[in-house]
């Protein structure tokens, strides 16, 4: 049994990392102001264009190497950036249903895309919601794996997550910066 002081410390660490993650997420997702509103509502359009190396605006494949590098950064970035959201959605959920946690992540991602579109702080893109949902699912499954390894002991899983979250977050952001 974990002492009350350790429980408080673990929860403070978890919520501190969550708060830092949310601030960082806001800074990343709402950093660019655009002159006009833009949205992609066709599922997989941007993803397929990135994977084939096609420029969405011109249809050209002349800069395929540059576009594929950007694509890798964009695709992986949209997935990786929402993995912690999935971990926290599942960790803080009373009912450990995977679909509920993933649905919450997708709803948050959709809200982000709407805010980006409305306030011209990015490009509203259904593909981002899909990729963010995949990242959220990966985070949920990651936490579920930790939870099962701890034999359904919520406090052990919280301790591991509290210790691993800052390390994994820093590594993820370093990888994303390296890809750009």
């Amino acid at each position: 049994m974990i002492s009350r002081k350790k429980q408080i410390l673990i929860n403070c660490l978890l919520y501190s990392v969550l708060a830092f993650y949310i601030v960082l997420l806001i800074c990343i997702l709402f950093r660019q102001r655009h002159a006009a509103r833009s949205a992609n509502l066709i599922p997989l359009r941007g993803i397929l264009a990135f994977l084939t190396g096609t420029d969405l605006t011109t249809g050209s494949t002349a800069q395929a190497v540059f576009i594929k590098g950007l694509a890798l950064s964009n695709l992986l970035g949209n997935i990786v950036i929402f993995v912690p959201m999935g971990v926290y959605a599942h960790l803080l959920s009373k009912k450990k249903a995977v679909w509920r946690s993933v649905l919450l992540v997708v709803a948050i991602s959709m809200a982000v895309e709407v805010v980006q579109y409305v306030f011209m702080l990015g490009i509203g893109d259904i593909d981002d919601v899909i990729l963010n949902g995949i990242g959220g699912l990966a985070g949920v499954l990651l936490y579920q794996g930790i939870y099962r390894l701890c034999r359904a002991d919520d406090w052990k899983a919280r301790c591991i997550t509290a210790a691993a979250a800052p390390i994994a977050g820093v590594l993820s952001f370093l990888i994303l910066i390296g890809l750009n």
Side-chain angles (χ1 to χ4, degrees), residues 16-26 81-85 173:
S16 296
V17 172
L18 175 60
F20 180 72
Y21 166 70
I22 289 171
V23 168
L24 199 56
L25 195 63
I26 288 169
I81 201 166
F82 269 75
V83 170
M85 184 72 70
F173 282 109

Side-chain angles (χ1 to χ4, degrees), residues 25-172:
L25 195 63
I26 288 169
C27 290
I28 290 169
L29 295 175
F30 303 117
R31 73 180 183 273
Q32 294 177 332
R33 184 114 174 111
H34 291 266
R37 286 185 179 86
S38 180
N40 170 30
L41 300 177
I42 303 168
L44 306 177
R45 177 179 176 224
I47 294 171
L48 292 174
F50 277 142
L51 293 176
T52 60
T54 305
D55 185 345
L56 282 176
T57 55
T58 65
S60 168
T61 57
Q63 296 178 327
V65 174
F66 170 75
I67 291 171
K68 284 186 179 181
L70 178 65
L72 180 64
S73 175
N74 187 2
L75 297 177
L76 288 178
N78 275 307
I79 292 170
V80 168
I81 201 166
F82 269 75
V83 170
M85 184 72 70
V87 169
Y88 277 103
H90 208 56
L91 172 79
L92 300 175
S93 173
K94 297 288 182 205
K95 296 179 181 179
K96 301 286 187 211
V98 171
W99 69 270
R100 286 182 185 201
S101 298
V102 173
L103 187 62
L104 176 62
V105 171
V106 169
I108 291 169
S109 177
M110 286 177 67
V112 164
E113 296 302 320
V114 168
V115 168
Q116 284 181 337
Y117 177 78
V118 169
F119 294 103
M120 296 185 295
L121 295 170
I123 297 170
D125 193 344
I126 191 68
D127 292 342
D128 288 353
V129 174
I130 293 167
L131 295 168
N132 296 160
I134 291 169
L137 175 62
V140 168
L141 295 176
L142 178 66
Y143 182 75
Q144 188 126 18
I146 292 169
Y147 187 76
R148 286 194 177 145
L149 281 174
C150 295
R151 297 181 186 172
D153 184 342
D154 194 47
W155 280 106
K156 282 184 184 175
R158 281 178 177 259
C159 289
I160 291 170
T161 304
I167 296 166
V170 167
L171 288 175
S172 297

